[in-house]
Amino acid sequence: MSLRVCPQSNSSLSLSHSPMASSPSSPLLLFFFSSSFFFGFFSSATSADSTLKTYIVRVDSQSKPSVFPTHQHWFASLLSADESSPDAAAARILHTYDTVFHGFSASLSPSQLDSLRGHPSVLAVLEDRRRYLHTTRSPQFLGLRNQQGLWSDSDYGSDVIIGVLDTGVWPERRSFSDVNLGPVPKRWKGACETGEKFGAHNCNRKLVGARFFVKGNDAAGRGAGPGMGGGINETVEFRSPRDADGHGTHTASTAAGRYSFRASMAGYAPGIAKGVAPKARIASYKVCWKNSGCFDSDILAAFDAAVNDGVDVISISIGGGDGISSPYYLDPIAIGSYGAVSHGIFVSSSAGNDGPNGMTVTNIAPWLTTVGAGTIDRNFPADVILGNGVKLSGVSLYSGPPLSGKMYPLVYPGKSGILTSSLCMENSLDANHVKGKIVICDRGSSARVAKGLVVLKAGGVGMILANGISNGEGLVGDAHMIPTAAVGANEGDSVKAYVSSTSNPTATIQFRGTQIGIKPAPVVASFSGRGPNGLNPEILKPDLIAPGVNILAAWTDAIGPTGLDSDTRKTEFNILSGTSMACPHVGGAAALLKSAHPDWSPAAIRSAMMTTANLLDNTLKPMTDESTGKPATPYDFGAGHVNLDRAMDPGLIYDITSDDYMNFLCGIGYSNKIIQVITRSPVNCPRAKKPLPENLNYPSVAALFSSTRTGVQSKSFTRTVTNVGEPKAVYQVKIESVPKGVSLVVKPTTLVFSEAVKKQTFMVTIKADTKSLLLDDSGAAFGSLSWSDGKHLVRSPIVITQISPL
């Protein structure tokens, strides 16, 4: 198997002439451009065109005529020329952007869109798209220890502000208490926006700011974008920073929740709940809305606000819902995060939940830290006991009346051959067939907890939720409303075979509470997005993994633990799984590292986590893949599982500057104008010698060899390391796990540092003989190189693969 790489030519974007699917914009500029610029282009179509869609417009801010005192005046004049009134044109503007992006977003008719595309000051026009949340004992599992190490050295992150772009926050939770916290850092410039059931008093020294962004969602609901499905449902939502979904409260408290004693979810996972950086401050940016998702224009506005407000870290557990990564210039998360990183802000993003298939990792821009999910050493076992005495292992967070060992008739609706019945979709079950029985439902197509509700409505007494082959043996617990056990694909096949083998199948479910000390752990979660990087395989993604399975954290009071509208149960904490849960772990980790090392750049922080990450589980064996049980690879876990005890003192780091990222973008073939869509600043790519994208100073190395050439092929890579340990140090290289058919040479083999010499550059040359090169099922082979001074081990994963250009 060889990797097919699409060339990233400029033909995918017609600058100033063609729309670009969903990209971000910058608030101030956007407003300026919208109020004047748009008025000039909007009038001709206000009545002729009835179909409105929302677009994000990237404007060259340097093109403003000097006659206008501000960009806002300039935009207003352009817009008002053909509009019935300046107010009418201004009403089309949703957001203006001026920090991470220059431009605006607005609802446009087709003719207005055509006009904008042709304007010389417009660099790009991007269609607003909807995105989705990446949901489906952890601080200790990151290597953090009470009263020592990074927690104590960073004062638990007390001077760092984490911006969480999510569904808002439920401020009354104990996780957001400011008791015994010092004053808010003076550099903070944010706001506590008020709205429905949310006042200024809801912010404090812990929750230092809260904002909400809904204009893009509202525009979609008004019809600006057929099929976009936007518009909030105000019967279940709050038009304010208050969280009606629960996801934002959960991620915020995972990153930086205060100590909460006697925490649990209906008795499961009892103990002390705390975030990774318990004293870090939280700023909540509500961009996602219950049942209607998150829109690019709102996400970009939140990035713009967060940078202006003064956050130090951003955590964003959001991505596309199709498992496909857009080019960076079409991706508002990539654009917004570039602006944030260029201001020194670390951005943690989720890798997506479309695993275990390959090339499913999302949020893959090289300036983002992309986080996959692993298990922790805690589980919630539930046993399925069949009428023939066979016991099958599963998991569950069901907390209602137990079945108490009583055997019930067992039925599998999928025997009928009707797919919707096997999946227990809405209105697919015959009550006469399932009433009083335990029902086997196949996983997929609808929410796991929703299947249990379908069974309950049809009169069933319990559910066995069976994985299919795509999910393998990967299991997550859910707070079902009906007695339920989730089982892996093998157990699912066993219980279905039992049903077919007897005329009177029976079963019961036994719930066994919370079990800790599970081995092996961590294991790469089956759902976690996998490499290779679908845009630029020269950059290994995901970067690393963190706890993302069965994570206990704070929850909203607006909805029950299943998130279903019919679930009226209340719980202070909930247990969720997904790369959404892994992402804020790394956001909190970055806050601790930033507090301990305030001069470190976002790339330095990521490097410290990657080069010190764990490769072994708690049985001291290589980490495995939950979906297959086989050893995992860097396509699954990146550099490994975060270990903050070592990341605090990594020895060497691989740093990256904004100029380095610009050279990378030049190297992948982007034109100067395309790059300016991302970077805000004008760029002049070298004409004589194009930079090589694989020479971006990343803490990993990916060698791509042609699948159409035979014989020995060679690639060389340059890397520079910075000493952040003892000033005088000598590091020796160690090459590990060189695949068959590959030779790897590093020059020099020794790096010497002193007070005067803090940086050293080395070259890695990889040669591969395509005749003898052995690749795994993913089409890759893996190795690693490390630098060691006897105290530190600075490890970089190496990937070797073959590509066949289209």
Side-chain angles (χ1 to χ4, degrees), residues 156-331:
Y156 299 83
S158 64
D159 56 346
V160 176
I161 302 167
I162 303 175
V164 182
L165 277 59
D166 215 291
T167 64
V169 65
W170 196 266
E172 292 82 7
R173 290 304 184 220
R174 288 184 288 161
S175 298
F176 308 120
S177 167
D178 66 352
V179 173
N180 296 325
L181 275 184
V184 175
K186 292 181 179 180
R187 67 183 184 281
W188 176 244
K189 298 180 294 183
C192 190
E193 295 182 352
T194 60
E196 183 181 0
K197 296 187 178 180
F198 199 98
H201 67 281
N202 288 124
C203 294
N204 56 24
R205 295 189 305 276
K206 177 66 175 178
L207 181 63
V208 297
R211 297 183 185 271
F212 64 103
F213 302 83
V214 71
K215 292 179 180 178
N217 213 315
D218 281 344
R222 289 194 299 267
M228 293 181 74
I232 69 170
N233 180 351
E234 301 201 33
T235 64
V236 297
E237 256 293 1
F238 304 102
R239 192 173 283 273
S240 74
R242 186 169 289 279
D243 184 8
D245 179 271
H247 191 275
T249 300
H250 197 280
T251 55
S253 59
T254 297
R258 299 296 302 277
Y259 280 72
S260 297
F261 296 90
R262 296 182 299 279
S264 74
M265 197 288 292
Y268 286 99
I272 303 171
K274 54 187 174 295
V276 179
K279 288 187 179 181
R281 317 307 170 105
I282 296 169
S284 174
Y285 298 85
K286 184 175 179 178
V287 297
C288 298
W289 299 78
K290 185 174 174 62
N291 301 331
S292 59
C294 338
F295 282 81
D296 286 346
S297 55
D298 294 333
I299 293 171
L300 192 57
F303 267 112
D304 214 60
V307 174
N308 274 321
D309 288 345
V311 303
D312 302 293
V313 173
I314 290 175
S315 175
I316 178 167
S317 297
I318 301 169
D322 52 11
I324 299 174
S325 295
S326 300
Y328 310 127
Y329 55 83
L330 301 180
D331 182 354

Side-chain angles (χ1 to χ4, degrees), residues 412-721:
Y412 176 46
K415 287 182 66 176
S416 66
I418 301 174
L419 180 61
T420 55
S421 296
S422 70
L423 294 168
C424 298
M425 303 292 285
E426 188 71 29
N427 299 319
S428 68
L429 300 182
D430 182 349
N432 294 323
H433 187 50
V434 304
K435 187 175 183 180
K437 301 177 181 178
I438 294 176
V439 181
I440 303 166
C441 297
D442 289 329
R443 184 173 168 183
S445 298
S446 63
R448 300 181 298 271
V449 290
K451 296 177 188 293
L453 184 59
V454 170
V455 172
L456 181 63
K457 289 180 178 178
V461 298
M463 178 176 71
I464 298 171
L465 182 61
N467 279 3
I469 190 170
S470 62
N471 300 113
E473 303 308 307
L475 298 176
V476 294
D478 292 300
H480 290 277
M481 299 176 68
I482 187 173
T484 297
V487 299
N490 292 334
E491 287 84 352
D493 289 343
S494 297
V495 71
K496 292 171 191 174
Y498 165 68
V499 169
S500 299
S501 70
T502 177
S503 59
N504 185 32
T506 59
T508 191
I509 303 172
Q510 183 180 49
F511 304 98
R512 297 199 283 124
T514 303
Q515 189 175 73
I516 59 174
I518 297 295
K519 294 183 178 182
V523 170
V524 180
S526 61
F527 57 77
S528 187
R530 303 299 210 272
N533 181 328
L535 287 183
N536 297 107
E538 304 95 336
I539 306 299
L540 177 64
K541 292 287 182 175
D543 291 310
L544 38 74
I545 65 171
V549 178
N550 295 332
I551 304 302
L552 179 78
W555 190 245
T556 178
D557 246 1
I559 200 161
T562 62
L564 298 172
D565 291 340
S566 58
D567 188 354
T568 59
R569 296 174 294 175
K570 304 294 183 184
T571 179
E572 184 182 3
F573 297 92
N574 200 4
I575 296 171
L576 297 182
S577 298
T579 55
S580 274
M581 285 61 253
C583 170
H585 277 89
V586 169
L592 295 178
L593 290 171
K594 184 72 173 177
S595 184
H597 303 284
D599 58 331
W600 280 10
S601 69
I605 293 171
R606 174 178 61 192
S607 173
M609 286 192 272
M610 289 179 65
T611 60
T612 60
N614 285 340
L615 297 178
L616 304 180
D617 60 30
N618 56 4
T619 68
L620 301 182
K621 294 180 179 178
M623 279 190 291
T624 56
D625 181 343
E626 186 182 41
S627 65
T628 64
K630 297 179 180 179
T633 75
Y635 277 172
D636 305 317
F637 54 64
H641 189 281
V642 178
N643 185 324
L644 288 180
D645 194 37
R646 292 202 297 261
M648 178 180 64
D649 180 20
L652 305 176
I653 56 98
Y654 294 81
D655 210 355
I656 305 177
T657 67
S658 293
D659 286 344
D660 295 329
Y661 289 127
M662 288 185 191
N663 285 333
F664 167 82
L665 294 172
C666 291
I668 63 175
Y670 284 6
S671 70
N672 292 340
K673 284 194 173 181
I674 285 181
I675 295 173
Q676 192 177 352
V677 172
I678 302 167
T679 63
R680 296 173 60 243
S681 303
V683 177
N684 289 307
C685 289
R687 294 183 179 181
K689 187 177 181 181
K690 189 171 75 170
L692 297 175
E694 58 264 35
N695 279 339
L696 182 67
N697 201 40
Y698 222 72
S700 58
V701 174
L704 313 181
F705 295 106
S706 173
S707 62
T708 60
R709 292 174 52 192
T710 58
V712 177
Q713 300 178 49
S714 179
K715 289 266 188 177
S716 293
F717 307 83
T718 301
R719 293 291 187 269
T720 298
V721 288

Side-chain angles (χ1 to χ4, degrees), residues 29 34 169 239 342 444 459 591 631 803:
L29 257 183
S34 70
V169 65
R239 192 173 283 273
S342 68
I803 60 170

Side-chain angles (χ1 to χ4, degrees), residues 373-442:
T375 64
I376 59 176
D377 62 345
R378 180 178 65 200
N379 204 3
F380 310 104
D383 296 328
V384 175
I385 303 171
L386 304 179
N388 60 5
V390 171
K391 181 185 290 186
L392 305 174
S393 297
V395 301
S396 183
L397 292 170
Y398 173 73
S399 59
L403 297 181
S404 301
K406 181 178 178 180
M407 303 298 289
Y408 288 89
L410 181 63
V411 62
Y412 176 46
K415 287 182 66 176
S416 66
I418 301 174
L419 180 61
T420 55
S421 296
S422 70
L423 294 168
C424 298
M425 303 292 285
E426 188 71 29
N427 299 319
S428 68
L429 300 182
D430 182 349
N432 294 323
H433 187 50
V434 304
K435 187 175 183 180
K437 301 177 181 178
I438 294 176
V439 181
I440 303 166
C441 297
D442 289 329

Side-chain angles (χ1 to χ4, degrees), residues 104-115:
F104 63 93
S105 57
S107 300
L108 305 178
S109 66
S111 61
Q112 292 164 352
L113 175 63
D114 290 340
S115 297

